[in-house]
Amino acid sequence: MRDIELLAPAGDLERLKAAIYYGADAVYIGGKRYGLRAGTNNFTIDEIKEGVRYAHARGKRVYLTLNIIPHNEDLVGLDEYIAATHDLGIDAYIVSDPGIFTLVKKVAPKAEIHISTQANNTNWMSALFWHNMGAKRVVLARELSISEIKEIRRNVPDTLELEAFVHGAMCISYSGRCLLSNFLTGRDANKGECTHPCRWKYYLVEEKRQGEYFPVFEDDRGSYIMNSKDLCMIEHLPELIDAGVSSLKIEGRSKGIYYVAVTVNAYRKALNSYMKDLESYRFDKSLLEELSEASTRDFTTGFYFGRPGPEEHNYNKDICRTSHDFIGIIRGYDRDKKLIKVEQRNRLFANEEVEVLTPHGVYPFNTGTLYDADFNEIDCAPHAQQTVWMKSEKEFAEFDVLRRKRV
């Protein structure tokens, strides 16, 4: 059985470290330019250097997105950027444009190149073209079915890796190529500035009745006519692997650290369980429940088992539900004093019952007495990212997460 990679998103250095801590084999990141998530913090050159060092020290890989659809001005300085990041040890570049592909081959001829889903990789001839040009991997379009992926795998060499999305937001435009954001707001989705107008409410206006708004459906909240459910394939990893996919990709470079922790942790457990015993594998349904504990829309399997129908959209809402509140992230443990150091993310109270999420399980925990950064006793931690100390006989590690179940 070939190695299967779990590939996680990392919008910044903290999320990169969290993704690796919770079990990602590789992470994909973006710099301050050239990637399709301009709204995230993204990485400076120095942060890329630290992220690569951190990942490589743990045997993990880092891929850098250069997947915009560029205009002429976007090419200025790109060669120097490729050279600088290649020297830092980037393991692969994710590109969608033939011009950027050519430039990477020229500046860093030995660099590994992955072809982004933005390149509309929907058939084996396209995949074979990119492989013959020197690509190591093709990221498959989200619009493919399992049977189509199998056909691609049969018709391309084993030396070409196939990567597919398994979790995260779905785009209503073909392989993410969308002009709606540009048309409505002037922000170009193909250059990383999407405003997600597919998630907005829409009403009808009759030409001669300006100011009178009619819901597309009879609902006083309007209608979310393009609002797709989120992709979730955690129950179907065996089918994807059997189809020939070797990298399982989680979407979400714009998502927070709690999403990264919960999602990577759940997929890591599912993948490990399957790879350990292929014949008698049974999916653990508690992992699906665990995924729902991060802020999420309803789930869909997308195009993998046929074309999506009306039930794959949320027409009446764009509500991200969650059963838990993310309240803190552990930053360290003082063994002598038996205290854990917590960075608060939402209001945290003394003597409340919470949970600690770790890669090894979820543990009930009472916060007990709280102490501020100067070890003064406090009743609650109301300030954003406030440092809090609390007693714990159990040693927890950095990036373990505190969360509170909603009543």
Side-chain angles (χ1 to χ4, degrees):
M1 187 67 182
R2 66 191 186 282
D3 290 335
I4 304 298
E5 175 186 85
L6 181 59
L7 177 58
D12 59 24
L13 191 57
E14 179 184 61
R15 281 172 275 180
L16 178 150
K17 294 177 179 180
I20 290 172
Y21 177 67
Y22 281 93
D25 298 304
V27 295
Y28 61 103
I29 68 174
K32 295 296 185 180
R33 295 176 64 191
Y34 311 117
L36 282 177
R37 289 296 180 271
T40 61
N41 291 335
N42 288 322
F43 287 68
T44 65
I45 289 292
D46 287 341
E47 288 169 337
I48 292 174
K49 181 178 181 179
E50 183 179 348
V52 169
R53 180 199 60 77
Y54 184 91
H56 287 181
R58 291 157 179 80
K60 311 301 181 181
R61 289 161 60 83
V62 180
Y63 309 145
L64 181 64
T65 57
L66 301 177
N67 57 347
I68 62 169
I69 299 175
H71 290 251
N72 292 326
E73 63 268 19
D74 297 310
L75 300 177
V76 177
L78 179 55
D79 51 351
E80 291 93 340
Y81 185 75
I82 294 168
T85 53
H86 183 64
D87 288 344
L88 297 179
I90 285 293
D91 294 288
Y93 294 97
I94 303 172
V95 307
S96 61
D97 177 72
I100 293 181
F101 182 95
T102 302
L103 195 56
V104 173
K105 296 292 289 183
K106 177 182 177 181
V107 175
K110 295 183 179 180
E112 185 172 311
I113 302 178
H114 299 173
I115 304 304
S116 171
T117 188
Q118 295 293 121
N120 308 108
N121 300 294
T122 56
N123 64 80
W124 64 265
M125 285 289 288
S126 173
L128 189 59
F129 165 82
W130 284 114
H131 187 49
N132 290 339
M133 291 293 290
K136 174 71 172 177
R137 178 184 297 183
V138 165
V139 186
L140 298 170
R142 289 179 176 89
E143 295 80 17
L144 292 177
S145 67
I146 293 284
S147 61
E148 288 176 303
I149 294 173
K150 286 183 177 180
E151 186 174 357
I152 291 173
R153 182 71 278 170
R154 286 194 300 267
N155 285 282
V156 297
D158 291 340
T159 47
L160 177 63
E161 299 173 356
L162 301 181
E163 176 180 309
F165 283 92
V166 294
H167 197 89
M170 296 283 285
C171 181
I172 57 95
S173 291
Y174 210 80
S175 294
R177 292 192 173 218
C178 183
L179 301 176
L180 192 58
S181 177
N182 204 341
F183 177 75
L184 293 176
T185 70
R187 291 176 56 181
D188 192 344
N190 296 310
K191 294 174 72 174
E193 298 177 343
C194 184
T195 55
H196 304 287
C198 55
R199 305 294 184 188
W200 299 352
K201 284 192 297 189
Y202 288 91
Y203 293 86
L204 291 174
V205 179
E206 200 276 326
E207 180 182 7
K208 296 180 180 179
R209 298 184 184 180
Q210 295 296 321
E212 294 188 34
Y213 299 96
F214 304 94
V216 178
F217 289 94
E218 301 232 356
D219 186 317
D220 58 7
R221 293 170 297 178
S223 181
Y224 297 84
I225 58 177
M226 295 176 284
N227 184 35
S228 172
K229 295 179 180 179
D230 283 355
L231 180 66
C232 179
M233 287 291 287
I234 195 167
E235 296 182 81
H236 303 287
L237 300 187
E239 291 97 315
L240 281 170
I241 293 168
D242 180 65
V245 172
S246 57
S247 180
L248 307 172
K249 187 171 192 173
I250 297 169
E251 184 273 342
R253 280 197 292 127
S254 298
K255 303 286 182 64
I257 190 171
Y258 180 59
Y259 168 89
V260 171
V262 170
T263 308
V264 174
N265 187 54
Y267 276 88
R268 179 78 271 163
K269 288 179 179 178
L271 183 57
N272 283 355
S273 179
Y274 174 62
M275 299 301 288
K276 183 179 180 180
D277 193 348
L278 306 183
E279 297 300 323
S280 61
Y281 171 73
R282 294 291 182 273
F283 174 69
D284 180 357
K285 290 188 179 297
S286 70
L287 296 178
L288 193 57
E289 296 172 8
E290 180 67 26
L291 284 175
S292 70
E293 292 171 4
S295 180
T296 182
R297 301 176 184 92
D298 294 334
F299 289 140
T300 174
T301 55
F303 290 80
Y304 284 119
F305 299 103
R307 289 190 174 276
E311 68 279 1
E312 308 305 325
H313 283 69
N314 292 320
Y315 289 112
N316 298 320
K317 60 183 179 179
D318 183 29
I319 300 171
C320 288
R321 301 169 288 101
T322 180
S323 60
H324 288 67
D325 291 320
F326 172 36
I327 56 175
I329 185 166
I330 293 176
R331 291 303 188 189
Y333 183 76
D334 188 320
R335 293 179 180 175
D336 295 330
K337 297 179 180 178
K338 296 188 183 305
L339 292 172
I340 55 174
K341 183 181 182 181
V342 176
E343 183 181 290
Q344 181 261 36
R345 292 302 175 90
N346 277 296
R347 188 180 290 254
L348 176 62
F349 298 90
N351 295 306
E352 70 168 323
E353 298 297 331
V354 299
E355 294 177 349
V356 182
L357 172 69
T358 81
H360 316 292
V362 179
Y363 300 91
F365 184 78
N366 186 287
T367 58
T369 304
L370 302 184
Y371 304 91
D372 65 16
D374 298 318
F375 295 98
N376 299 308
E377 187 173 330
I378 55 176
D379 294 326
C380 71
H383 306 301
Q385 296 186 281
Q386 179 178 355
T387 296
V388 181
W389 293 89
M390 57 185 71
K391 294 178 181 178
S392 174
E393 291 295 324
K394 180 175 177 57
E395 181 174 348
F396 292 104
E398 186 176 13
F399 295 114
D400 289 340
V401 164
L402 271 70
R403 66 189 187 189
R404 176 193 302 114
K405 187 174 180 62
R406 288 187 173 181
V407 179

